[in-house]
Amino acid sequence: MTTPRSAQLFTRYPGNPILSPHDWPYTVNAVFNPGATLGPDGETLLLVRVEDRSGISHLTLARSDDGVTNWKIDPRPTLMPQTSRFEELWGIEDPRIVRFGDEYLIAHTAVSSAGPLVALLSTRDFRDFERLSTVSPPENKDASLFPVKFDGRYAIIHRPVFYGYRAEAHIWISFSPDLRHWGDHKILLESRHSVHWDQEKIGIGPPPLWTNEGWLIMFHGVKGTAAGALYRAGLAVLDPHEPTRVLARADEWVLGPEAEYERTGDVPGVVFPCGWIRDDDDTVRLYYGAADTCVGLATARVDDLLEFVFSHPA
Ligand code: BMA
């Protein structure tokens, strides 16, 4: 059998997983779903979701000069949930980081006792964080800001869930003048009610990536099976100036749980990307949670990803 093109786009780092619970300087259960960005001097920064042994998640910074090896991990949690706040009672999870000048804006899931919701943080140094706002009431998660404004407004991609005749979990886009008041809500991508890999739920992965062809977005798709959920990642491209317009959505997933560390762990069968970094040679380094246990790295050429989306429409 020939390997499908969709399976050849990403190359896993042979030393995966790059970060595991046993690398941590303090006792944890799992380390996964990191947001990724570059520091002022070009270091790779991963803000990693860390699940402690009570089950609650906090965020901890890991930094590396080459983004692959020699990770320096903060000796203590970098950002703990404020359990006095209703929104963060049961933890903070799955950060996606964008940069505006020297300010980093982080969308993440805050887990309230009424369900998960999307909240925003700001930091300049990954030491001091300001809690900016919550984007909507529960249930909502899987959110990322765009790294630019559109006509003076911030834009966010998020994934509210509605329980109507059946649970509806689609990707939405909303706009705000000030990161506090959100409106002009629109559905951007729908989960496919079918047998497809993205039939049950979909949600944004890393922040949208600017390219000459438009905004490249990666999203995860969930397929329910008799053996549990499978989490895979696929691609779409949005109009460069009007991000509510989807130019293309690829039919097949481009990264799915195949390696042993993606198939074995706390939640088997999960790849969950929350961060990517584009290098000067047009390679993208994708950082993803594997099996809700550890962190994997895979690389791809941005041109190949774009060519694939436009030539394999859903
Ligand atoms: C999603 C999120 C992720 C998690 C995934 C698989 O709903 O909660 O944090 O990695 O499920 O368990």
Side-chain angles (χ1 to χ4, degrees):
M1 192 183 83
T2 56
T3 308
R5 173 112 173 83
S6 52
Q8 297 171 352
L9 294 168
F10 278 94
T11 306
R12 288 170 177 78
Y13 173 61
N16 271 352
I18 55 167
L19 291 169
S20 299
H22 62 248
D23 298 321
W24 237 245
Y26 55 95
T27 302
V28 301
N29 175 53
V31 300
F32 55 118
N33 301 3
T37 192
L38 291 178
D41 52 4
E43 257 183 330
T44 295
L45 308 180
L46 296 186
L47 192 60
V48 184
R49 171 177 170 189
V50 179
E51 190 186 272
D52 69 20
R53 290 176 60 87
S54 78
I56 295 207
S57 292
H58 59 267
L59 306 178
T60 292
L61 191 72
R63 42 179 99 220
S64 154
D65 287 336
D66 64 6
V68 185
T69 55
N70 294 320
W71 292 94
K72 296 180 234 39
I73 302 166
D74 279 2
R76 283 175 291 280
T78 307
L79 185 68
M80 285 292 282
Q82 282 181 351
T83 49
S84 58
R85 296 165 69 92
F86 161 79
E87 297 93 323
E88 300 180 16
L89 187 64
W90 291 339
I92 48 177
E93 306 180 348
D94 302 356
R96 279 86 167 181
I97 308 168
V98 296
R99 193 170 167 179
F100 279 80
D102 60 357
E103 183 179 23
Y104 298 92
L105 296 175
I106 304 167
H108 68 287
T109 304
V111 190
S112 80
S113 54
L117 52 86
V118 170
L120 298 178
L121 300 164
S122 149
T123 185
R124 290 176 195 276
D125 55 8
F126 289 90
R127 291 273 158 268
D128 295 316
F129 294 82
E130 186 188 349
R131 284 161 166 88
L132 294 179
S133 61
T134 50
V135 172
S136 79
E139 178 178 337
N140 198 353
K141 52 165 65 173
D142 300 326
S144 176
L145 292 161
F146 283 74
V148 299
K149 293 185 190 177
F150 298 91
D151 295 329
R153 297 192 301 173
Y154 294 95
I156 194 165
I157 293 179
H158 56 124
R159 208 285 307 284
V161 179
F162 300 95
Y163 294 92
Y165 297 111
R166 46 160 281 163
E168 300 277 343
H170 310 304
I171 293 179
W172 289 67
I173 184 168
S174 305
F175 295 87
S176 169
D178 58 5
L179 294 172
R180 284 180 172 75
H181 304 91
W182 293 93
D184 279 352
H185 314 289
K186 290 191 181 66
I187 288 190
L188 191 60
L189 292 169
E190 295 191 33
S191 56
R192 291 191 279 181
H193 293 176
S194 60
V195 296
H196 290 95
W197 67 273
D198 46 0
Q199 50 91 225
E200 196 176 281
K201 295 191 272 188
I202 55 174
I204 191 71
L209 192 73
W210 170 261
T211 76
N212 292 335
E213 311 270 343
W215 292 99
L216 178 64
I217 63 168
M218 171 172 267
F219 59 96
H220 66 260
V222 184
K223 176 165 175 152
T225 78
L230 285 170
Y231 278 72
R232 302 172 172 125
L235 299 169
V237 178
L238 311 179
D239 185 280
H241 307 294
E242 183 38 74
T244 57
R245 273 190 65 219
V246 179
L247 300 183
R249 173 180 181 167
D251 193 34
E252 298 177 9
W253 72 87
V254 295
L255 191 74
E258 286 172 22
E260 197 262 333
Y261 51 89
E262 297 160 348
R263 289 187 165 271
T264 311
D266 273 7
V267 186
V270 175
V271 297
F272 200 90
C274 292
W276 54 12
I277 290 172
R278 185 182 192 166
D279 289 320
D280 292 340
D281 66 356
D282 231 23
T283 301
V284 75
R285 283 183 265 141
L286 180 74
Y287 295 94
Y288 63 97
D292 284 12
T293 298
C294 56
V295 176
L297 166 64
T299 54
R301 306 266 320 152
V302 174
D303 281 350
D304 292 346
L305 300 180
L306 290 167
E307 190 269 322
F308 178 77
V309 185
F310 287 107
S311 60
H312 292 74

